[in-house]
Amino acid sequence: MLMRDPDSWLGVEVRHLAALDAIARERSFSRAARTLGYTQSAISQQVALLERIVERSSGPRPVSLTPAGNVMLRHGRRVVDQLAAARADLAAWSAGSAGQLRVGTYHSVGAKILPRVVGRLAEALPEVGVALVESPDEGQLLRLVERGELDLTFMLYPLADGPFVAVELLRDPFMLLVAEGSPLGTAAIAPTMAEVARLPLIAYDRVRDVTRPETHLRGTPRVVFRSNDDETIHGLVRAVELDVGLPPRAIGLAWHRDRDLLPAAREFVATTEQVCAELAGEQSTAGHGG
């Protein structure tokens, strides 16, 4: 059935949508059942109401969704994620002023911003712990925010589509790091983008295009190595900073627009804004030789 009768939609429950979501992720009824803690027969019953939007396979081919199933999945995931966010809100309020703040981050933020923020937050709210979840995939971090598994996450503008609000923290200029002693590091004029494109480049891996300098270059860049570890990258190039004129990254902090920010989360946002304002001032002073 395709549930053309409006009354038949009243039989759809969150458990049906959760089962559909698990099947889409796992592409297997048995794995989806294990994920949800069901028996395989139980999860089959869950999707019976939505049977026309799931293509079953009698062979080893993975389970897939019909076009109608993908439409239903998009709506269903919003419902499941909204319920997860509500559960996270209730758990946070039950913990009161104590508890744990879960924050998503990626490499450069962890090195530049978080040490100061976490130190000051520990002094202001010693009863609150900060659990950091690091990933080079910003989309994954925002997805965890959407499901209520993270309270906040650092991100890059433009803000991805979803139930998010964000505050801009810092404009972070792109820099070209070259080997110590390289003529590029001592030249009076910065290299052109065409010249940079011809160099053997070391680049970050699995980050959004807005953080990839090579996407702004003309021609095909010669990326010979990728890493998300700043120490590894700097060790390979013996860092000498050189401005290459790319527009700066806009770093922000995002959270779920439908969740209430508890005092600890609001304090984290305010402290991070203050730290980033200080960093921006330091960058400006260094840039003017102060």
Side-chain angles (χ1 to χ4, degrees), residues 133-145:
V133 176
E134 187 171 11
S135 172
D137 187 344
E138 182 193 3
Q140 180 185 21
L141 294 174
L142 287 169
R143 177 70 176 151
L144 293 174
V145 169

Side-chain angles (χ1 to χ4, degrees), residues 13-33:
E13 301 176 6
V14 173
R15 59 193 174 98
H16 300 128
L17 302 177
L20 178 65
D21 183 34
I23 290 169
R25 292 180 189 280
E26 301 294 339
R27 304 189 69 191
S28 160
F29 277 75
S30 59
R31 289 195 297 270

Side-chain angles (χ1 to χ4, degrees), residues 9-249:
W9 285 90
L10 299 177
V12 178
E13 301 176 6
V14 173
R15 59 193 174 98
H16 300 128
L17 302 177
L20 178 65
D21 183 34
I23 290 169
R25 292 180 189 280
E26 301 294 339
R27 304 189 69 191
S28 160
F29 277 75
S30 59
R31 289 195 297 270
R34 287 195 295 271
T35 297
L36 296 175
Y38 294 162
T39 63
Q40 186 167 339
S41 60
I43 203 166
S44 296
Q45 293 173 10
Q46 301 294 341
V47 298
L49 186 66
L50 312 172
E51 60 186 1
R52 294 292 296 275
I53 63 176
V54 177
E55 291 180 345
R56 297 173 183 255
S57 173
S58 58
R61 190 166 56 88
V63 174
S64 61
L65 301 184
T66 66
N70 284 310
V71 171
M72 188 66 180
L73 177 64
R74 288 198 302 272
H75 292 284
R77 276 184 174 165
R78 294 191 189 104
V79 174
V80 172
D81 289 344
Q82 194 71 31
L83 185 62
R87 184 172 62 244
D89 258 353
L90 290 175
W93 280 111
S94 297
S97 59
Q100 193 172 70
L101 195 61
R102 302 159 303 167
V103 180
T105 184
Y106 50 91
H107 49 87
S108 56
V109 168
K112 293 176 59 177
I113 299 173
L114 278 172
R116 296 191 193 185
V117 173
V118 172
R120 294 183 191 181
L121 197 70
E123 293 179 2
L125 300 173
E127 72 280 5
V128 175
V130 178
L132 299 176
V133 176
E134 187 171 11
S135 172
D137 187 344
E138 182 193 3
Q140 180 185 21
L141 294 174
L142 287 169
R143 177 70 176 151
L144 293 174
V145 169
E146 188 171 2
R147 294 205 301 260
E149 295 179 28
L150 287 177
D151 301 300
L152 304 157
T153 188
F154 288 91
M155 41 67 67
L156 295 172
Y157 282 91
L159 180 61
D161 292 336
F164 311 117
V165 291
V167 58
E168 184 175 327
L169 299 170
L170 186 68
R171 294 295 178 102
D172 190 26
F174 281 109
M175 307 298 287
L176 178 66
L177 304 180
V178 299
E180 189 173 3
S182 167
L184 291 175
T186 57
I189 301 175
T192 66
M193 303 312 297
E195 290 172 331
V196 173
R198 291 194 292 269
L199 298 173
L201 300 176
I202 298 169
Y204 287 120
D205 186 26
R206 291 195 65 196
V207 290
R208 287 178 62 190
D209 284 346
V210 294
T211 70
R212 282 183 168 172
E214 66 264 30
T215 62
H216 299 270
L217 306 179
R218 294 185 179 181
T220 302
R222 294 174 55 205
V223 178
V224 296
F225 184 79
R226 290 187 182 274
S227 174
N228 282 314
D229 184 85
D230 286 334
E231 291 187 6
T232 297
I233 292 174
H234 292 180
L236 287 168
V237 297
R238 305 300 180 190
V240 173
E241 294 186 346
L242 186 66
D243 188 357
V244 294
L246 290 171
R249 301 185 305 171

